[in-house]
Structures are given as C-alpha cells and as structure tokens.
C-alpha cells in the first residue's frame, strides 16, 4: 500500500509523538496503592527475588518483556542511518509485538558500530528482559552478535532480519512445492542477496530438506564459488560451490526456486523464462521487488510467486513470525530459540494456510474468499489464528527439545492463547467446547450455499457437529469441489428423492390437517427444504436445524413453528443476542427477534429463557427488566407491564437475580445502583437486558453493534421444543459455526426431554426481524 510522506509524518507526530507508551498494570489511585506500588510495599518482592531470582517472573513484568536492540546500521532499505534515525522502526516493532501477541517491548537504540559493545550491553541487560530481539544490524556483525549472545545468555535471542524471513519464506516454500508438485530434496534454489536474511534463509531451507549442494548463492559480485576472494566472509563460505557459473542469469537457467533478498529489478522476464517448469519466485526486495508480480505472470503463467508487498498475493511479512515466536518462547521460559522452534513455526504457518480462512480475515483484505493454492501459500497478517497455531507450536518444540524451563500442557496453553484473541472469541469457544463433548446432527436446509458449506467443514474438522446438507447432491458436490471443501463427515439429503418423503408427508398432513392443509398440499410443501428440515428434527432424524442465510426471517421460522413447535408449557418463542463489548463485557439482549409487543407474562418467559442461556455460557445472570425510567419514577402502562413481569419472575424463580423496571443506563451502572437504589438486587450491574418490546431491543442491539463496535453472537432462538436457530442473511462463516455450536448444546440438553411430536403447543403469532 502506498503511503505519502506527509501521511507517514502526520501518523508519527500526532496526537502524541511516537507510537508507544507505558501503561501501568496495577492501580495507583490512593495512598495505599502508592505504598504498595513503591515504598514500603515494593520491598517485599525485592527480598523474594533476592532469595529466588526466578521469582522475578512472578512479581515483575520480565516474563513478558522483550528488548528490541539496534545500532541502525541496516535499517530497512535505508542502510546505515544511525541508531537515533532507526528509532521509529523500533517503536513500530514494539507496536507489532503488542498488537499481535500481547508482548511488551522497550526499544533500545545503541550509538555504536562496535559489535562487542552491543554484546556487552545486552549481557548487562539480561536481568531486565525475558528476551532480546536484534534488529537492523548489518552483516556480518549481526551473525557474530547473535552467536555470542546465544552462547552467553540464558534468555531467547533472535535476530529477526535473519530468521523471521527464513521462517516465513520456509512456510511459503513448503506449500509452493506442494502446489507445484516438486520434491524438496531434488529442487535447485538460487539466492540473490548474501546478507543476513539471505544466508539465514538458505540455512533454514537446508534444515527443511533442501540439499546444500543444490543451493547457489549470489551477491553483488556474482556467484559465491569455491576459491572466490572478493567480498567473502566465513558465513558466505558455507555456500561456496564448485561451479563454472559466474552470473545470476547463468544460475537461473533450469532453477526451480528463486529467492530474492536484494534490490529492485535484479532479475528480468528472460531469467524467469529460463527457469524450470512451475517456477517458484520469491521476490522480496522492499519496497520494490526484484521482479513484479505482473511482470513474472506475464512471461510465465505457471509461476508461483511471493513478494514482500501487500498489494500482491502471498505477502512475506515478518510480523507473521517474531511476535508469535517470542510469545511461545516466553510462555515456557525458553532459554533460547533453537532450530527446532524455528522449524515448528514454519510448519505451523504452512499447515494453517491449508485451513479454511475466516470471513473476518477475507473482509479485512477486501476479498470474497481466500483458499490454499498458488495465490494463497501462507496465512495473512491479520489472521487471528496465527497466534494459537504458531505460538503453541513454538512452545511445544521448546518443551520437546529441552530448552523450556516451565513446560506446560499444550492443549491448555492453546486455550489460554484463544482467550488472548478477545472475549468474543472466548465466549464462542465456550459453547464450542461444550458441543465437542457430544456432537449432534445439525440439518442445514441451505446445503448448496458457500458459507454453509465452509461452516460445515469447520464443524466436522473441529468435531463440533455432524452436518446434514439438504439440496441437490450433484450441485452440493460440485460447489464443494469449487470451494475446496471436503464433504467427508457430512450427510447429503435431497428432499425430492428422499426415502423418507412419504412418511414425512403423512406426518405433515397429520400435524396441519386442521390448519387448512390438504394431503395434496402437504405433498407439495414437503420438498421445501425448511419444511423438510423441520420435519427431520420433529421426527428425530436430526437433532437441530440452522437456516436463514438466503431467506427472510419469517420464511425461515414459520415451518419450524408449525412443525417443531414450542417447548411444553411455553407460550412464546423469543430471540436473544450475546453482545461482547470492546472492554470484554458480555451482555445478553432479548427479545431482539420475535415478539413485537410482549405481555408481562411473555416477558417472564423471555427473561427465564435468556437467563438460562447466560448460564450455558457459564455466566451468572443478573437480569434487568428495562424501561424508560427507574423504579416507579414515571407512571405509564409500559412501566406497569415491566413491574408486573418482575413480580411474576420473583414468584417463578426466587433464586434469580432480577429487578426493574429500570432504565438501561442505571442498570449498567453499579455505582448508580449502589448510591441511588441501594434496595435493588442488581449489585454489580446487569448482564441480561430484557426490553419491553421488540422495537427497543432490536434497535438497541443494532446500534450497539454498529456504533459501539461490539461483537455479537446470534440471533439465538429460545423456547422451541427442539433446537431451531435462524441466521441473519449477512451471517459470516464464524457466526454460523457459533450458532451451530449453540444448537448442538441445545440438543444435548434436549436428550432429557420427551420426543417433541408427542407434545401439544399453541402456535404463536408470527412476527420478527428480517
């Protein structure tokens, strides 16, 4: 992406100069806080650390603190601009550490060209940090500094310019070879650029399986060959080969892979044309590559291409590496970052690229879909799953290779990493984990839909549920093949040719014959996929139904209400949304979907169902019955209705924390409740919000999601005799998975109930959202 000079300067200068600041993790608001944060209270952890130095990880932030160290001798493509001029880059590195892996950073710019001084400085700083990230130090000094520090320090030391590029291009190489159908042990690789990144990447490729003798290393003097004297050092010498070739153009003939870590325009179309079939070209010079994507594609339509740019496919960006590598290393207190950990990072990235990509990631890049292949070899920078996959792989490799001081359970660690992704992710995973304990059959009437197919793939892969896809089998298989979705583990049922069609027709006629439906009409209706799916749930051939991405809400819910019907004793079906704020607060809002003007009795059912839903998410419900005023301050029929509902709720469930009528802002303000309404039971504020009507609930939910920037899960349909959930038409794949997981958990609970078609319930007035 192109950025103007003034845009960049404005970004860095305001509203506060720079990009980072220090934020306290403990309160310092009172005299007591001050005495704890500093003297005299601070003496106690000091003494504890003196007694056991390892306690520094318990009482200080050392375990999550990395130093980014530079002397500014090789800053980006700017060269030796000095330590101070390199500071914006180091601050930027700190931003990336924090943003992507929640690692804290101090940037340290060292005004020296002497490698020994940098080594000494880092050694002296070891008590302060959990790890050292060396950055933008010229070769060969960077090799010596890292080697010396690895030998003498007991914390991870990592030169990102070397190993970050190696790890990420390594992942791209593994997947490019798979796409091109080539054997890593037989390929011939040409490197152009013999600096820190070039040599480290070549070494990493050898560890991945490329034969050293099949690598040709080139620099500004040409091919690195045995006996060459000019521009040589001991690091280049490792790749010196016996050859009569002397130029890059000669080396490129018949090569399988080109790796460019050099300068713009280093290779041309003729060189790419001279390469072997299905050539792999990694042109990573920044900001302009050795050859552009368009130039390479113009001369070879079989080329597999990666660059360092975000406006071309397969961007090799080091942010896919260092934050997550350090996250995993820090969390097991690794004493170093060894080759096993680097290889684990590479393989984790390569494997993740083959997984289905979340809609949220696709939206971030303005594309409809990302799918493993020539133009998607490695995950994108903003894929949140990289944290879980890569950090856990690095931690596991550290444990297995014996460099972890604090080994941990990897399954539990992955769950911890998932929680770092945010409260919304954690909340949705709660239901997914419950669903995985006993997966159920979920029928999807929209079986040919792309999002449904991709969501079902996730359900099978993560063992959340057992999908049943309704539709034309040939169309579903063709669509799945186009999307790269494996249908294994999914059942396909075509209502028009199903062996159950006659039995379902007779049952539909029995259910609806006194509602104006003739046998002939039942025969016509049964091939409607929502009707057929609802009948599958009713007859026990499926445990739950999820539908709605291609239809209006009433058209989706009507067959379910007519066939599956409500739970015994209920008079209304209702809908709720789970809303997760940016602060990580979780709220349940109802009824957002079905009942336009609920009565007091309806509000009781809605509140009880929503409270039960909160408990499913392992949250203790505190229910606020909302209105436009609080506790009798205004005399109005709406307030009377809400007050009556509270009285009925106290009778229906005396253990439920519920109060009202109460205004929304009061319900969410623990201080207001404590000071103005000390009699209220809503101590700590409400987390279940029951609105007096559909309009207020639906409007509030949409505004909070849009303006407040929160995330939501839903709509969640409540009160049905068997699980039926209606998706909104803009639902993402991730949202479909979350709703399906809720449906599975519903079905698990329904195992204790009698079969639904033996019950009788009142068919409600059909209202709701689009």
């Amino acid at each position: 992406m192109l950025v103007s000079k003034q845009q960049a300067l404005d970004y860095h200068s305001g509203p506060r100069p720079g990009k980072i600041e220090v934020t306290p993790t403990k309160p310092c608001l009172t005299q007591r806080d001050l005495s704890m944060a500093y003297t005299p209270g601070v003496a106690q952890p000091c003494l504890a650390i003196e007694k056991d130095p390892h306690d520094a990880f318990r009482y200080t932030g050392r375990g999550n603190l990395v130093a980014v160290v530079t002397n500014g001798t090789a800053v980006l493509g700017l060269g030796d601009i000095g330590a101070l001029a390199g500071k914006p880059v180091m601050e930027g590195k700190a931003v990336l550490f924090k943003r992507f892996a929640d690692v804290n950073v101090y940037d340290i710019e060292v005004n020296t060209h002497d490698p020994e001084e940098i080594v000494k400085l880092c050694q002296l700083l070891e008590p302060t940090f959990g790890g050292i990230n060396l950055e933008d130090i010229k070769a060969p000094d960077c090799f010596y500094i890292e080697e010396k520090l690895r030998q003498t320090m007991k914390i991870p030391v990592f030169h990102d310019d070397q190993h970050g590029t190696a790890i990420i291009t390594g992942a791209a190489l593994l997947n490019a070879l798979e796409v091109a159908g080539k054997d890593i042990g037989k390929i011939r690789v040409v490197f152009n650029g013999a600096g820190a990144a070039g040599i480290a990447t070549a070494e990493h490729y050898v560890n991945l399986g490329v034969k050293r003798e099949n690598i040709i290393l080139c620099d500004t003097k040409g091919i690195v060959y045995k006996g060459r004297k000019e521009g040589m050092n001991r690091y280049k010498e490792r790749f010196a080969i016996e050859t009569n070739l002397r130029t890059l153009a000669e080396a490129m003939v018949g090569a399988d892979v080109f790796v460019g870590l050099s300068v713009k325009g280093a290779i041309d179309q003729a060189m790419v044309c001279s390469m072997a079939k299905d050539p792999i070209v990694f042109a990573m010079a920044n900001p302009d590559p050795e050859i552009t994507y368009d130039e390479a594609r113009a001369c070879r339509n079989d080329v597999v291409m990666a660059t360092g740019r975000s406006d071309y496919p397969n961007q090799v960006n080091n942010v896919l590496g260092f934050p997550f590598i350090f996250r995993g290393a820090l969390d097991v207190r690794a004493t170093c970052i060894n080759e096993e950990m680097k290889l684990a990072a590479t393989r984790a990235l390569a494997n993740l690229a083959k997984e289905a990509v979340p809609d949220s990631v696709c939206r971030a890049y303005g594309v409809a879909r990302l799918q493993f292949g020539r133009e998607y070899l490695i995950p994108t920078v903003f894929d949140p799953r990289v944290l879980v996959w890569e950090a856990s792989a690095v931690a596991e490799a550290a444990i297995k290779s014996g460099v972890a001081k604090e080994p941990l359970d990897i399954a539990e660690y992955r769950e911890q990493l998932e929680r770092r992704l945010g409260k919304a992710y954690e909340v949705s995973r709660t239901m997914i984990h419950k669903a995985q304990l006993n997966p159920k059959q979920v029928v999807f009437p929209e079986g040919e839909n792309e999002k449904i197919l991709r969501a079902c793939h996730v359900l099978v892969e993560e063992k959340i549920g057992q999908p049943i896809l309704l539709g034309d089998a040939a169309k579903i298989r063709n669509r799945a093949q186009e999307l790269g979705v494996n249908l294994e583990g999914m059942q396909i049922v075509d209502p028009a040719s199903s062996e159950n069609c006659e039995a379902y027709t007779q049952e539909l006629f029995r259910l609806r014959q006194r509602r104006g439906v003739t046998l002939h009409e039942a025969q016509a209706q049964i091939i409607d996929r929502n009707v057929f799916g609802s009948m599958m749930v009713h007859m026990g051939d499926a445990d739950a139904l999820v539908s709605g991405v291609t239809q209006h809400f009433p058209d989706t819910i009507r067959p379910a209400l007519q066939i599956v019907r409500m739970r015994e004793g209920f008079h209304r079906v209702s809908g709720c949304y789970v809303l997760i704020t940016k602060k990580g607060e979780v709220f349940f809002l109802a009824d957002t979907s079905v009942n336009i003007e609920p009565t007091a009795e309806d509000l009781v059912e809605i509140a009880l169902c929503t409270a039960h839903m909160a408990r499913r998410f392992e949250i203790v419900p505190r229910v606020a019955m909302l209105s436009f005023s609080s506790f009798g301050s205004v005399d109005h029929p709406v307030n009377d209705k809400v007050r009556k509902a509270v009285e009925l709720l106290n009778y229906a469930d005396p253990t439920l924390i519920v109060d009202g009528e109460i205004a929304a802002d009061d319900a969410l303000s623990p201080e207001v409740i404590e000071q103005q309404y000390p009699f209220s039971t809503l101590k700590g504020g409400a987390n279940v919000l029951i609105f007096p009507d559909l309009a207020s609930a639906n409007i509030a939910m949409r505004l909070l999601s849009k303006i407040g920037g929160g995330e939501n899960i839903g709509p969640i349909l409540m009160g049905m005799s068997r699980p039926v959930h209606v998706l909104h038409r803009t639902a993402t794949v991730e949202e479909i998975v979350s709703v399906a997981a809720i449906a599975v958990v519903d079905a698990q609970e329904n195992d204790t109930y009698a079969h639904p078609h033996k019950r009788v319930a009142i068919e409600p007035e059909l209202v709701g959202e689009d």
Side-chain angles (χ1 to χ4, degrees):
M1 180 179 292
L2 296 177
V3 178
S4 72
K5 175 182 176 180
Q6 193 57 49
Q7 284 177 325
L9 292 175
D10 289 345
Y11 174 84
H12 285 79
S13 63
R16 294 185 184 182
K19 298 191 286 283
I20 58 175
E21 66 180 5
V22 176
T23 302
T25 60
K26 302 293 189 295
C28 191
L29 303 173
T30 66
Q31 183 63 37
R32 182 180 182 278
D33 292 342
L34 181 60
S35 66
M36 297 290 282
Y38 201 54
T39 185
V42 74
Q44 298 308 314
C46 291
L47 293 171
I49 294 168
E50 181 189 29
K51 184 177 180 180
D52 181 0
H54 194 69
D55 274 351
F57 293 105
R58 181 180 181 185
Y59 297 120
T60 76
R62 183 189 179 201
N64 195 45
L65 185 61
V66 168
V68 173
V69 179
T70 189
N71 66 351
T73 52
V75 179
L76 300 177
L78 305 175
D80 186 352
I81 61 174
L84 181 59
K87 186 174 177 64
V89 177
M90 305 312 123
E91 286 193 355
K93 201 84 173 183
V95 170
L96 301 181
F97 264 109
K98 189 65 177 179
R99 161 63 178 82
F100 290 99
D102 195 26
V103 174
N104 298 322
V105 163
Y106 288 151
D107 61 297
I108 299 176
E109 293 76 34
V110 187
N111 194 20
T112 181
H113 282 63
D114 184 349
E116 294 293 349
E117 290 187 333
I118 297 175
V119 168
K120 186 65 175 177
L121 172 75
C122 292
Q123 290 170 335
L124 292 172
L125 287 172
E126 183 169 355
T128 302
F129 296 100
I132 303 286
N133 184 101
L134 300 171
E135 192 76 18
D136 290 350
I137 301 171
K138 70 178 183 179
D141 293 353
C142 59
F143 299 120
Y144 170 77
I145 293 168
E146 186 187 43
E147 287 176 1
K148 193 72 174 177
L149 292 177
R150 283 171 57 88
Q151 293 167 6
T152 58
M153 297 182 74
K154 295 180 180 179
I155 59 174
V157 177
F158 184 82
H159 184 210
D160 182 50
D161 300 301
Q162 293 182 58
H163 310 298
T165 303
I167 287 164
I168 296 152
T169 63
L173 176 70
L174 293 178
N175 284 343
L177 291 174
E178 182 174 330
V179 167
K182 297 190 177 188
D183 184 344
I184 195 169
K186 297 179 181 178
I187 59 171
R188 192 159 68 84
V189 184
V190 176
F191 279 85
N192 192 49
I199 291 174
T201 301
E203 289 287 1
H204 191 64
Y205 283 15
V206 172
N207 291 331
L208 285 170
V210 177
K211 295 187 183 305
R212 189 178 293 271
E213 59 268 26
N214 288 346
I215 293 176
I216 297 179
L217 184 67
C218 302
D219 61 11
T220 56
K221 308 300 181 184
I223 289 176
V224 174
Y225 59 89
K226 283 192 179 295
R228 201 185 94 172
K229 302 298 183 183
E230 189 178 11
M232 293 294 288
N233 57 50
R234 64 187 177 97
Y235 305 102
K236 293 181 185 179
E237 198 66 48
R238 296 201 295 257
F239 289 95
I241 59 172
E242 295 282 359
T243 181
N244 293 323
L245 302 178
R246 291 295 182 265
T247 67
L248 175 60
E250 292 172 341
M252 291 283 281
V253 177
D256 296 287
V257 181
F258 168 78
V259 181
L261 293 155
S262 52
V263 295
K264 173 185 178 180
I267 64 173
D268 56 27
Q269 291 180 323
M271 294 183 188
V272 175
C273 286
S274 73
M275 294 178 72
K277 182 178 181 294
D278 292 308
I280 297 167
V281 175
F282 295 165
M284 292 173 291
N286 262 324
D288 298 304
E290 285 81 359
I291 186 170
T292 68
Y293 175 82
D294 295 332
E295 289 169 341
R297 290 284 294 172
C299 68
R300 291 291 295 265
N301 59 15
D302 63 341
V303 69
V304 183
M305 183 93 176
T307 70
R309 293 180 58 128
S310 61
D311 50 350
Y312 295 140
N314 300 318
Q315 183 192 18
V316 174
N317 190 320
N318 281 20
V319 77
L320 278 172
F322 64 85
F324 315 107
I325 293 165
F326 269 100
R327 178 76 276 154
L330 292 172
D331 288 341
V332 295
R333 303 285 182 262
T335 56
C336 66
I337 295 172
N338 58 25
E339 295 307 315
E340 291 88 345
M341 296 159 75
K342 296 172 194 172
L343 290 170
T346 287
R347 293 188 175 113
L349 289 171
N351 291 334
L352 177 57
K354 299 171 189 177
E355 298 291 312
V357 181
D359 282 356
S360 57
V361 176
C362 297
R363 285 199 305 270
Y365 285 85
V367 296
R369 186 169 75 251
L370 291 168
Q371 185 176 349
F372 177 70
R374 289 176 182 268
E375 297 197 347
Y376 180 69
L377 298 173
I378 51 177
T380 61
V381 169
F382 288 103
D383 190 330
R385 301 170 301 167
V386 175
L387 172 65
V388 178
W389 282 63
E390 189 173 359
S392 63
V394 169
E396 185 173 17
I399 294 167
K400 289 181 177 179
S401 61
V403 299
K405 284 187 173 180
E406 293 189 6
L408 41 71
D409 181 276
I410 293 299
E412 293 179 1
Y413 180 52
R414 287 178 68 91
E415 291 184 7
Q416 293 173 17
L417 292 169
E418 287 173 352
R419 288 195 287 272
R420 286 183 181 271
L421 295 177
K423 193 68 178 180
Y425 195 87
E426 180 184 347
V427 167
S428 65
R429 295 303 296 185
T430 297
M431 297 304 279
I432 286 172
H433 291 323
K434 288 185 176 184
Q436 289 168 331
L437 296 175
N438 185 15
K440 298 292 184 179
Q441 290 186 308
V442 183
V443 61
F444 294 87
E446 298 151 308
E448 298 165 17
N449 180 266
E450 174 184 334
K451 289 191 286 188
I452 294 296
L453 284 167
R454 290 167 57 201
C456 288
H457 176 72
V458 176
L459 294 178
V460 173
E461 285 287 302
E462 295 200 26
K463 298 180 174 60
I464 298 168
Q466 301 161 6
I468 301 172
L469 304 172
L470 298 189
D472 184 286
K475 289 181 179 178
I476 290 174
R477 290 192 180 95
N478 290 338
R479 191 70 178 118
Q481 187 174 10
E482 292 172 7
L483 298 171
V485 171
N486 185 352
L487 291 174
E488 186 176 350
M490 304 182 207
Q491 181 182 350
I492 301 175
V493 176
D494 186 346
S497 58
S498 170
E499 61 183 15
N500 293 324
C501 201
E502 178 59 30
Y504 285 2
T505 299
Q506 292 297 329
E507 178 63 11
L508 178 62
F509 177 58
R510 186 189 70 79
L511 290 172
R512 304 295 296 166
Q513 60 188 349
R514 294 184 181 275
R515 294 279 182 165
V517 176
T518 66
L519 179 60
H520 179 71
E521 288 171 332
Q523 290 170 336
Q525 289 178 16
I526 201 64
I527 60 174
D528 179 281
R529 294 178 193 174
N530 279 317
V531 173
F532 192 92
S534 297
M535 189 59 69
M536 289 187 75
V537 174
H538 171 72
M539 298 293 285
D541 295 325
D543 300 302
L545 180 145
V546 175
S547 184
V549 290
T550 62
Q551 303 165 83
H552 293 286
F553 186 92
D555 296 333
T556 306
I557 197 175
R558 184 181 292 107
L561 291 171
Q562 294 172 345
I563 297 167
V564 180
R565 303 189 175 187
M566 287 179 290
R567 181 165 292 173
E568 187 174 0
F570 278 68
H571 300 86
R572 290 285 178 182
V573 170
S574 57
C576 86
Y577 270 86
V578 185
L579 181 74
I580 302 99
T581 70
K582 286 185 175 180
K583 294 180 180 179
E585 300 164 309
V586 182
F587 298 99
F588 296 80
L589 283 63
D591 172 15
T592 57
S593 308
V594 182
N595 299 285
I596 294 177
E597 289 287 351
T599 65
E601 291 76 14
D602 295 335
L603 290 177
V604 171
E605 286 191 5
I606 294 167
L608 291 172
C609 285
T610 312
H612 180 61
M613 185 58 62
R615 294 188 190 100
R616 284 185 181 169
F617 281 90
E618 299 180 359
I619 292 173
V620 177
R622 299 188 300 274
V623 183
M625 305 298 288
L626 300 180
S627 189
F628 57 84
S629 63
S630 297
F631 301 113
S633 60
V634 176
D635 186 19
H636 190 276
V638 170
N639 292 338
D640 295 339
K641 177 179 73 172
V642 175
R643 278 195 295 272
K644 181 181 178 183
V646 173
E647 293 174 4
L648 293 172
L649 276 167
N650 287 328
Y651 176 77
D653 184 358
T655 67
L656 183 65
I657 301 171
V658 58
D659 214 340
E661 86 284 17
I662 186 170
D665 54 344
D666 290 347
L668 300 178
S669 304
E671 301 83 3
V672 171
I673 292 174
E674 183 177 349
Q675 294 170 11
Q676 296 187 27
Y677 311 113
F679 53 85
S680 175
T681 59
L682 292 176
K683 308 301 182 186
N687 53 22
V688 174
L689 307 177
I690 307 300
F691 292 79
D693 54 45
L694 178 65
S696 58
N698 195 275
I699 290 168
M701 181 274 296
R702 292 175 187 267
L703 285 175
L704 287 169
S705 299
K706 194 73 174 178
I707 299 175
E711 299 181 61
N712 58 58
I713 301 171
I716 304 169
L717 206 59
M718 306 179 297
M720 296 293 291
S721 65
R722 300 284 281 179
V724 174
H725 290 289
V726 182
L727 303 163
H728 58 84
R729 287 184 292 169
T730 58
T732 64
V733 170
E734 299 80 55
E735 289 169 340
I736 296 169
V737 171
S738 294
V739 170
I742 292 169
V744 170
V745 175
D746 284 348
Q748 291 170 353
E749 292 189 2
N750 266 339
D751 284 345
T752 61
Y753 296 130
H755 202 269
H757 70 265
K758 295 179 181 178
R759 301 189 200 94
V760 178
I762 302 170
E763 186 176 315
E765 172 192 2
L766 183 62
V767 295
E769 65 174 26
D770 186 0

